[in-house]
């Protein structure tokens, strides 16, 4: 007889929210639904849209109030899909009240920490938290020269938020070795790892193969964003937030624009002017209107078309690190060159297309050098050479498909569940063969 599937409540941003965490989770929902009695939990105001967006999947979409009405549910597990994002603040109280497994997408959680404090009107608690924790700066947070990666205030906020997340989590998941080291450094003294009863999984961000689109559809997208066939296209993909090093990219482009005739810089994302007013900066530096362009929000298909067309992509994030992002390998799949930062920039991912630049003072000169190098390659490039690079990159990334990564996620959920059960508790449903 088949055993009942364990119920899994998943807290996460959900489609149609314009959020990379929602995009991430949706790729695993159908797989999770095969092994679990799957329920996703969202804020009440977002419930109708989420229910409509996920109607085709065999899952139940609940509001926070509906979830609370079903508690206590001791036979169920919770999973939190958490990042440094305002859409995640609602999860923090639930994480404490209903501990579960936690996917930590960005270990630099000081923005989430700030939002949580504002929400609780508790800014004055910051100093008390430091005293309570007796916190010292771990070595993981020092640069090569011994200087801090960021200001002490931001650093402490990051550490304190991570300590609260880890302290409530029954299992943790990160995407890279860098993120694991930084997480362990921030929560030193807390038990972490399967040997300590709190499993820690390091599983890379998935990569989806670019869609196969008709030529006329690709042409339509490129025309929409005014990308000409003979342009040397430079791309900044993703939301235009304050951590994307936009100032450095604009400064570098300004220096090389005259040396790279036919070049175009497209900032392919929605502007977050409260974090960095990029349109205002462009207007000031290029008053004649011959500067970079901002696309505004674009969907995943449009972004894939642009990544496949770009001759150079800038995947730059600092002081948050982007180690969780799938943009870096997606950019490499296009066959163009990619520049990223040399701190926390998905170090496991290796590709001949990807080069790193330092943060700080040397960044702009390194970006200038990278742009000129990519421009020279573009001048001598052929369609056949680019197609060959794309094919090689697709082969290199085959193991990063969601379906191939999912068994590790499922096993981690099982392990986290088993280790969290009280000694002597009756066995609860597990997933896998025969479930």
């Amino acid at each position: 007889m088949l055993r009942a599937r364990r119920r899994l409540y998943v807290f996460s941003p959900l489609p149609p929210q314009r959020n990379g965490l929602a995009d991430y989770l949706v790729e695993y929902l159908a797989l999770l639904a095969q092994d679990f009695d799957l329920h996703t939990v969202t804020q009440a105001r977002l419930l109708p849209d989420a229910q409509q967006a996920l109607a085709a999947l065999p899952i139940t979409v609940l509001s926070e109030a509906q979830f609370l009405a079903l508690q206590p549910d001791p036979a169920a597990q919770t999973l939190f899909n958490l990042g440094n994002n305002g859409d995640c603040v609602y999860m923090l109280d639930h994480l404490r009240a209903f501990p579960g497994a936690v996917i930590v997408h960005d270990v630099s959680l000081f923005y989430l920490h700030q939002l949580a404090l504002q929400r609780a009107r508790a800014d004055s608690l910051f100093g008390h938290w430091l005293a309570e924790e007796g916190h010292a700066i771990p070595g993981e947070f020092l640069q090569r020269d011994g200087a801090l990666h960021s200001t002490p205030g931001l650093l402490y906020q990051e550490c304190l938020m991570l300590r609260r997340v880890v302290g409530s989590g029954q299992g943790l998941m990160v995407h890279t070795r860098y993120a694991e080291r930084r997480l362990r450094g921030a929560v030193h003294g807390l038990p972490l790892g399967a040997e300590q009863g709190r499993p820690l999984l390091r599983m890379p961000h998935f990569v989806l193969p670019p869609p196969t689109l008709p030529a006329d559809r690709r042409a339509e997208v490129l025309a929409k964003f005014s990308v000409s066939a003979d342009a040397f296209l430079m791309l900044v993909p993703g939301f235009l937030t304050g951590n994307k090093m936009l100032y450095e990219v604009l400064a570098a482009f300004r220096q090389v624009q005259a040396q790279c005739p036919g070049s175009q810089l497209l900032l392919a994302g929605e502007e977050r002017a409260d974090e960095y007013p990029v349109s205002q900066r462009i207007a000031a530096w290029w008053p004649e209107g011959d500067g970079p362009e901002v696309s505004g929000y674009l969907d995943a298909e449009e972004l894939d078309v642009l990544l496949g067309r770009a001759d150079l992509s800038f995947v730059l994030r600092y002081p948050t690190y982007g180690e969780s992002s799938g943009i870096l390998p997606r950019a490499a799949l296009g066959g163009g060159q990619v520049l990223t930062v040399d701190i926390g920039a998905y170090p496991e991912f290796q590709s001949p297309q990807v080069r790193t630049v330092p943060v700080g003072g040397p960044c702009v000169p390194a970006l200038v050098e990278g742009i000129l190098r990519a421009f020279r390659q573009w001048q001598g490039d052929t369609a056949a050479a680019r197609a060959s690079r794309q094919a090689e990159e697709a082969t290199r990334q085959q193991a990063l498909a969601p379906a191939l990564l999912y068994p590790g996620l499922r096993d981690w959920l099982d392990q986290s569940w088993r280790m969290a059960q009280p000694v002597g508790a009756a066995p609860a449903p597990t997933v896998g063969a025969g479930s």
Side-chain angles (χ1 to χ4, degrees):
M1 185 174 68
L2 294 179
R3 299 177 62 186
R5 295 182 303 165
R6 184 168 75 247
R7 178 167 292 184
L8 180 66
Y9 293 107
V10 180
F11 288 79
S12 175
L14 297 171
Q17 288 176 264
R18 295 178 176 182
N19 186 305
L21 299 176
D23 297 338
Y24 179 88
L25 182 70
V26 77
E27 297 300 328
Y28 287 111
L29 286 179
L31 296 166
L32 287 166
Q34 294 175 12
D35 289 320
F36 296 91
D37 175 17
L38 188 60
H39 292 58
T40 59
V41 185
T42 188
Q43 297 166 279
R45 64 183 176 82
L46 302 174
L47 181 63
D49 289 341
Q51 287 176 325
Q52 181 177 354
L54 301 175
L57 294 174
I59 64 177
T60 301
V61 185
L62 303 174
S63 69
E64 294 174 90
Q66 291 170 326
F67 166 79
L68 292 172
L70 295 173
Q71 304 311 310
D73 191 354
Q77 185 176 19
T78 53
L79 171 65
F80 296 85
N81 186 39
L82 185 72
N84 193 33
N85 189 289
D87 292 334
C88 295
V89 176
Y90 85 98
M91 300 183 206
L92 297 177
D93 291 339
H94 299 299
L95 177 59
R96 286 196 169 198
F98 307 100
V102 188
I103 301 173
V104 183
H105 281 273
D106 191 333
V107 293
S108 300
L109 294 179
F110 49 77
Y111 178 61
L112 183 64
H113 182 281
Q114 291 167 336
L115 292 174
L117 288 182
Q118 293 167 11
R119 180 185 184 216
R121 301 182 183 277
D123 292 300
S124 62
L125 291 177
F126 181 52
H128 297 294
W129 285 1
L130 292 179
E132 290 172 8
E133 300 288 353
H135 193 75
I137 298 175
E140 296 287 341
F141 290 82
L142 300 178
Q143 296 190 55
R144 302 177 186 92
D145 61 359
L148 291 175
H149 283 312
S150 54
T151 67
L154 296 181
L155 194 63
Y156 281 129
Q157 291 178 57
E158 175 181 324
C159 291
L160 292 172
M161 179 53 70
L162 284 171
R163 290 182 70 83
R164 278 155 176 74
V165 168
V166 173
S168 298
Q170 295 174 343
L172 284 299
M173 185 185 112
V174 294
H175 292 298
T176 68
R177 287 191 301 270
Y178 176 86
E180 179 180 345
R181 290 196 304 269
R182 197 169 178 93
L183 180 67
R184 288 184 181 277
V187 303
H188 61 92
L190 289 181
L192 185 59
E195 68 281 0
Q196 301 290 331
R198 185 179 280 128
L200 174 61
L201 171 68
R202 187 175 71 237
M203 188 177 91
H205 195 292
F206 65 77
V207 179
L208 297 175
T212 302
L213 299 175
D216 58 346
R217 174 55 181 154
R218 294 198 302 271
E220 176 187 346
V221 173
L222 296 177
K224 176 180 177 179
F225 299 109
S226 304
V227 178
S228 63
D230 57 350
F232 171 64
L233 178 63
M234 291 175 277
L235 195 73
V236 178
F239 289 109
L240 304 178
T241 55
N243 62 7
K244 293 290 181 67
M245 303 177 71
L246 302 176
Y247 174 86
E248 288 82 354
V249 173
L250 296 180
F253 178 66
R254 198 177 186 204
Q255 289 188 34
V256 303
Q257 191 173 13
Q259 303 174 58
C260 301
S263 62
Q264 178 182 359
L265 174 59
L266 177 62
L267 307 178
E270 183 177 295
E271 182 173 359
R272 301 286 176 85
D274 56 332
E275 296 189 42
Y276 186 81
V278 64
S279 293
Q280 180 180 330
R281 175 67 69 179
I282 291 171
W285 280 5
W286 288 273
E288 301 301 320
D290 56 344
E293 299 177 16
V294 177
S295 72
Y297 179 78
L298 64 170
D299 61 31
E301 183 178 275
E302 292 171 333
L303 181 57
D304 278 323
V305 170
L306 292 173
L307 287 169
R309 168 64 180 82
D311 301 294
L312 175 63
S313 296
F314 300 96
V315 184
L316 307 168
R317 291 181 66 184
Y318 185 80
T320 57
Y321 305 97
E323 68 281 343
S324 61
S325 177
I327 287 288
L328 183 64
R330 283 172 67 192
L333 278 172
Q337 291 196 29
V338 185
L339 291 177
T340 190
V341 293
D342 65 352
I343 294 178
Y346 202 169
E348 290 94 330
F349 181 73
Q350 301 290 325
S351 169
Q353 270 79 261
V354 177
R355 297 173 185 265
T356 61
V357 297
V359 298
C363 181
V364 172
L367 289 174
V368 167
E369 179 184 349
I371 293 172
L372 294 176
R373 180 176 56 247
F375 183 75
R376 289 191 296 269
Q377 175 179 294
W378 170 76
Q379 287 179 309
D381 211 2
T382 65
R386 177 137 187 174
S388 176
R389 294 195 300 271
Q390 291 172 334
E392 291 173 2
E393 197 62 46
T395 299
R396 190 177 294 114
Q397 297 190 31
Q398 283 177 349
L400 297 177
L404 296 180
L405 295 171
Y406 171 71
L409 172 62
R410 181 195 60 207
D411 294 346
W412 166 71
L413 286 170
D414 264 354
Q415 187 181 37
S416 299
W417 173 254
R418 289 194 304 269
M419 288 191 169
Q421 300 310 298
V423 175
T430 59
V431 301
S435 62

